[in-house]
Amino acid sequence: MGRAVMVGRGPTGAGVLVLSILIILTTEDCRAQKGDGCGPTVLGPSSGTLSSLGYPGTYPNNTVCEWEISVPRGSRVHFHFAELDIEDSDCQVNYLRLYNGIGHQRSEIVKYCGLGLRVGQLIESSTHQVTVQFMSGTHHSGRGFYLSYSTTQHTDLITCLDKGADFPEAEFSKYCPAGCLTSTEEISGTVPNGYRESSPVCVAAVHAGVVSNAVGGRISVVSSKGIPHYEATLANNVSSTGGTLSDSLFTFRTNGCSGTLGLESGGVADTQLSASSVWEWSVGQQSVWAPSGARLKKAGLPWASAQSDLKQWLQVDLKKEKRITGITTTGSTLREYRYYVSAYRVQHSNDGQQWLSYREANSTQDKIFQGNINYLHEVRNNFIPPIEARFVRIHPTLWHQRIALKLELVGCQILAKPVPRVFDPYRHTPPSMGTKRPPHFGHTTHPPDIRNTTMPPHTDVALAAVLVPVLFMVLTALILTVVCAWHCRSRKKSSDGTYDLPHWDRTDWWKSMKQLLPSKMVETEDSVRYSEVARLGRGAVPRLHAEPADYAEPLVSGVTTLGARSTFKPDEGPDPGYTDPDLYDAPISQDVYHAYAEPLPATGSEYATPIVVDMGCHPSGGSTLNQPSTVCSFMGAGPPSLLTRTDSGRSGRTAYDTPKNATGQATPPEDQTYQVPQRNTQKPKGKS
């Protein structure tokens, strides 16, 4: 067994150090400290933390302390200094010395003294046993020292004072030593939101339940952008403080076994909760503080025991064995009943008969967990290593006023372990019916490779994360293809119909109604259509244009009004393609087409605008150009005569004209459509 030797100091007037030795039995490996100058210390099996007395304040005068460290054989020890601040210039009175080995056969490795020293490299021993010695005489300043150690296999050892801001990497992995709760540095934040960048990484890891303060361990850290506020919580004997906005934060990667086990959600039935006793209190109405109320965040009364003593317990039956990694507790959460449990032990069992108390690794003592510090706020404790059991019992050891408790267990399901199958090479399994297999002569069959095919829960989530975007992209592409095909087909049909004359446009009804539209619209439509038809022929499909028409529209029989702009040039000479005496209302033959609305020449005769009259008032008989026409009054009222005007503006000439042929001679058709011109001296008849 190992030994721990405490070295005390005698009377100060003697000026001589008097050693008093105290032998203490410890673990198999030799991890001991002796002297009166030893500060907070944790000596773990493979790592630990040492500090001078009073750190981070000034260490006392005339003190000494020695630490004897032993790790498993075959390993060596290396040291990482967090701070070294010892007042002395020649290392004669105040110094820190490291030795290879323990006892009288030890040999010096290195000796340090001085204020504000920076020791960046790791100091390594040559054996598996090391002695650390700190001596102090009279001094006025100096904070002492603070260091960590581990076996040399952990080359990425850091100290308990290293902060998140000291590591610029987005992700990194380090080894934290045991005993970082000896640090006085504060952390800010909690899991899963993260910790402020100014927090010591290893202290935050203990708070998060990633590593144990008694053992230490490896951490995987992820840095990300900071958040506006950091929550203050108490967990694993570490109190975090609230924090404000920071540039960055860090969190820890875990094994994912941190889900609630059903007390809060109702997955654990009331019949699965039991207790040593139940408090029933009647004041006006009866109140039962039953185990069913011991659910975290459930409103109402919690569980409370009838007696407040060390024999009380609360039990949870999970129905099957599960891995339990932590527990969260609160007090009564009732303002009028401020009861809570401040410390407790945990027992676990698989059958409800044989119970084991929880202990930390390499410890022979039952662990006492820190409970709540008030009746309202939650406190979390993690089990490192985790518990694998069906039954869990909470035994209160300290409480405020009365035992009252609400809780939630944290953990996960235990994955089924594959059962290895023993392969018998001499056992013959006949092939199934209907299957013929050739015999294998001289062939050795190897044992099958048995693997665990049980997929973890997160595999389905990862598969869904891949399939959902792929299916979405395929569906989107299919929809776009259908839409494009429909659009192209509709566009083709629209193009075909754009150049064809609709049926209703070829009817007499439309010829009558289109006169009600503005003249610009009528001229544009008809002039373009007639000109294009004449130019392209009946077999071609003309394209409609929105250019205004410069030519007149033929007069249509039966139409009482014309557009304001109706000057036109009649056809020069008879067209053999027309058989109707009406030059402008004759049907179009299949081979020859009449070209309407040719442009007016730059020089030449101008043509008159037809008179807007009632077609029923045409003169009877065959009138000639020299015969005046009878003019009817409109609606039987108004002036008895029509005002005459010539387009040329010259008086003494006819106000209106008739179409002429190519030689300039008037060739009126049989069915005169134009008004016979009147002289300025012509007097209209009055009413009879």
Side-chain angles (χ1 to χ4, degrees):
M1 301 296 290
R3 59 182 179 177
V5 182
M6 299 296 296
V7 180
R9 176 177 165 80
T12 57
V16 179
L17 292 176
V18 179
L19 300 180
S20 60
I21 302 175
L22 175 64
I23 306 296
I24 302 175
L25 296 179
T26 57
T27 59
E28 180 181 1
D29 293 328
C30 180
R31 297 184 301 274
Q33 66 181 16
K34 53 186 178 181
D36 60 352
C38 303
T41 300
V42 174
L43 304 178
S46 60
S47 66
T49 302
L50 313 177
S51 65
S52 58
L53 184 62
Y55 180 85
T58 303
Y59 53 92
N61 292 328
N62 303 318
T63 60
V64 62
C65 183
E66 288 188 0
W67 294 267
E68 295 178 348
I69 302 171
S70 180
V71 296
R73 293 182 180 274
S75 300
R76 290 176 297 171
V77 182
H78 58 191
F79 297 90
H80 194 170
F81 284 89
E83 187 169 2
L84 187 58
D85 191 49
I86 302 173
E87 180 185 321
D88 205 322
S89 58
D90 55 4
C91 297
Q92 295 298 319
V93 179
N94 299 282
Y95 60 85
L96 178 70
R97 183 180 291 177
L98 303 180
Y99 296 92
N100 278 318
I102 59 176
H104 299 289
Q105 298 180 353
R106 64 191 183 185
S107 60
E108 182 178 308
I109 301 175
V110 66
K111 188 178 183 180
Y112 291 108
C113 67
L115 296 175
L117 292 180
R118 296 288 182 181
V119 183
Q121 72 276 14
L122 296 177
I123 309 301
E124 186 174 329
S125 70
S126 59
T127 64
H128 72 285
Q129 292 180 326
V130 178
T131 300
V132 179
Q133 183 185 67
F134 175 66
M135 297 290 293
S136 72
T138 302
H139 64 282
H140 303 284
S141 62
R143 292 160 56 94
F145 73 95
Y146 192 67
L147 64 83
S148 301
Y149 75 89
S150 73
T151 56
T152 53
Q153 66 185 25
H154 305 300
T155 57
D156 52 356
L157 171 70
I158 61 176
T159 71
C160 300
L161 300 186
D162 291 329
K163 299 178 173 59
D166 297 332
F167 304 97
E169 300 92 343
E171 296 188 21
F172 59 91
S173 176
K174 300 295 180 180
Y175 186 84
C176 287
C180 281
L181 293 192
T182 59
S183 169
T184 58
E185 297 290 329
E186 291 185 347
I187 64 171
S188 179
T190 186
V191 289
N193 298 329
Y195 296 88
R196 206 171 191 270
E197 60 183 357
S198 60
S199 303
V201 176
C202 291
V203 179
V206 175
H207 181 273
V210 177
V211 297
S212 168
N213 180 66
V215 180
R218 180 163 300 280
I219 59 173
S220 296
V221 184
V222 179
S223 300
S224 60
K225 186 178 180 181
I227 58 178
H229 177 71
Y230 295 90
E231 184 181 356
T233 60
L234 174 60
N236 300 307
N237 295 343
V238 182
S239 295
S240 69
T241 60
T244 57
L245 177 66
S246 66
D247 293 334
S248 63
L249 58 82
F250 62 89
T251 55
F252 299 97
R253 292 189 183 275
T254 64
N255 57 8
C257 189
S258 58
T260 58
L261 295 183
L263 277 81
E264 179 184 348
S265 63
V268 175
D270 292 345
T271 56
Q272 296 174 237
L273 301 174
S274 58
S276 56
S277 63
V278 175
W279 185 35
E280 298 182 6
W281 182 43
S282 300
V283 177
Q285 60 180 1
Q286 186 176 10
S287 300
V288 179
W289 300 53
S292 59
R295 301 176 183 272
L296 193 68
K297 298 181 181 179
K298 178 183 178 181
L301 298 175
W303 166 74
S305 60
Q307 297 83 26
S308 294
D309 54 37
L310 296 177
K311 297 181 180 180
Q312 306 305 314
W313 49 263
L314 175 67
Q315 177 177 305
V316 180
D317 180 7
L318 298 175
K319 290 298 184 182
K320 64 179 181 179
E321 185 178 346
K322 294 184 179 181
R323 179 174 288 112
I324 307 166
T325 59
I327 180 173
T328 304
T329 61
T330 63
S332 65
T333 67
L334 301 174
R335 184 184 298 271
E336 59 273 22
Y337 306 107
R338 302 191 177 191
Y339 311 143
Y340 58 88
V341 174
S342 56
Y344 57 89
R345 294 184 299 113
V346 175
Q347 289 186 322
H348 54 91
S349 173
N350 287 327
D351 56 6
Q353 302 297 326
Q354 301 294 327
W355 295 90
L356 298 175
S357 296
Y358 182 80
R359 297 176 180 177
E360 288 185 314
N362 302 311
S363 175
T364 58
Q365 302 295 324
D366 297 347
K367 181 173 182 178
I368 303 298
F369 294 90
Q370 179 179 352
N372 298 90
I373 58 176
N374 55 50
Y375 71 98
L376 183 60
H377 295 104
E378 299 177 3
V379 174
R380 173 175 48 83
N381 283 285
N382 290 91
F383 302 129
I384 303 174
I387 298 172
E388 293 188 357
R390 170 182 172 179
F391 298 92
V392 177
R393 277 187 181 180
I394 312 300
H395 289 267
T397 57
L398 291 175
W399 53 87
H400 177 73
Q401 297 184 7
R402 175 177 288 276
I403 296 175
L405 183 66
K406 292 183 179 180
L407 63 88
E408 177 63 272
L409 296 177
V410 178
C412 60
Q413 303 286 344
I414 299 178
L415 297 179
K417 298 179 181 179
V419 179
R421 294 184 299 178
V422 178
F423 178 75
D424 185 3
Y426 299 101
R427 182 180 178 182
H428 174 70
T429 302
S432 58
M433 299 300 296
T435 302
K436 295 183 179 180
R437 298 180 182 178
H440 298 273
F441 298 102
H443 179 74
T444 302
T445 304
H446 299 281
D449 184 14
I450 305 300
R451 298 181 180 180
N452 184 12
T453 59
T454 304
M455 296 180 64
H458 63 272
T459 304
D460 295 337
V461 177
L463 185 61
V466 174
L467 291 180
V468 170
V470 172
L471 292 177
F472 178 80
M473 294 177 63
V474 172
L475 183 60
T476 303
L478 182 61
I479 293 176
L480 290 176
T481 303
V482 174
V483 171
C484 291
W486 175 83
H487 179 71
C488 294
R489 184 177 181 182
S490 300
R491 184 175 180 181
K492 183 177 180 181
K493 290 183 177 181
S494 176
S495 301
D496 296 341
T498 302
Y499 306 101
D500 192 13
L501 296 177
H503 174 75
W504 51 269
D505 197 17
R506 299 193 297 266
T507 60
D508 293 336
W509 175 83
W510 167 246
K511 293 179 181 179
S512 300
M513 290 300 296
K514 66 183 178 181
Q515 299 301 328
L516 301 178
L517 301 175
S519 59
K520 289 288 184 180
M521 181 183 299
V522 175
E523 292 171 5
T524 299
E525 179 181 307
D526 291 343
S527 62
V528 172
R529 183 169 67 243
Y530 293 146
S531 62
E532 290 296 317
V533 170
R535 181 174 59 86
L536 299 176
R538 183 175 301 272
V541 179
R543 179 182 294 271
L544 295 181
H545 302 280
E547 300 176 358
D550 294 331
Y551 314 114
E553 176 182 348
L555 189 64
V556 181
S557 301
V559 180
T560 58
T561 59
L562 296 173
R565 189 169 180 269
S566 58
T567 301
F568 67 94
K569 179 180 178 180
D571 187 79
E572 298 178 357
D575 195 329
Y578 288 83
T579 57
D580 196 320
D582 189 347
L583 297 178
Y584 306 104
D585 199 21
I588 300 175
S589 64
Q590 295 182 357
D591 299 324
V592 181
Y593 304 99
H594 184 76
Y596 289 91
E598 295 182 0
L600 293 174
T603 59
S605 303
E606 296 181 352
Y607 302 94
T609 301
I611 301 174
V612 179
V613 297
D614 186 358
M615 301 305 294
C617 295
H618 284 173
S620 59
S623 61
T624 63
L625 291 173
N626 296 327
Q627 291 178 346
S629 301
T630 303
V631 180
C632 298
S633 61
F634 295 95
M635 301 301 294
S641 63
L642 294 174
L643 297 178
T644 62
R645 179 178 60 86
T646 61
D647 291 339
S648 63
R650 295 189 302 268
S651 60
R653 296 184 64 181
T654 59
Y656 303 97
D657 203 353
T658 59
K660 296 179 176 61
N661 55 17
T663 59
Q665 299 298 325
T667 57
E670 295 180 3
D671 188 2
Q672 180 82 25
T673 309
Y674 302 94
Q675 179 65 38
V676 178
Q678 299 179 4
R679 302 269 182 193
N680 292 336
T681 58
Q682 182 69 29
K683 295 183 180 180
K685 293 182 180 182
K687 294 182 180 180
S688 58

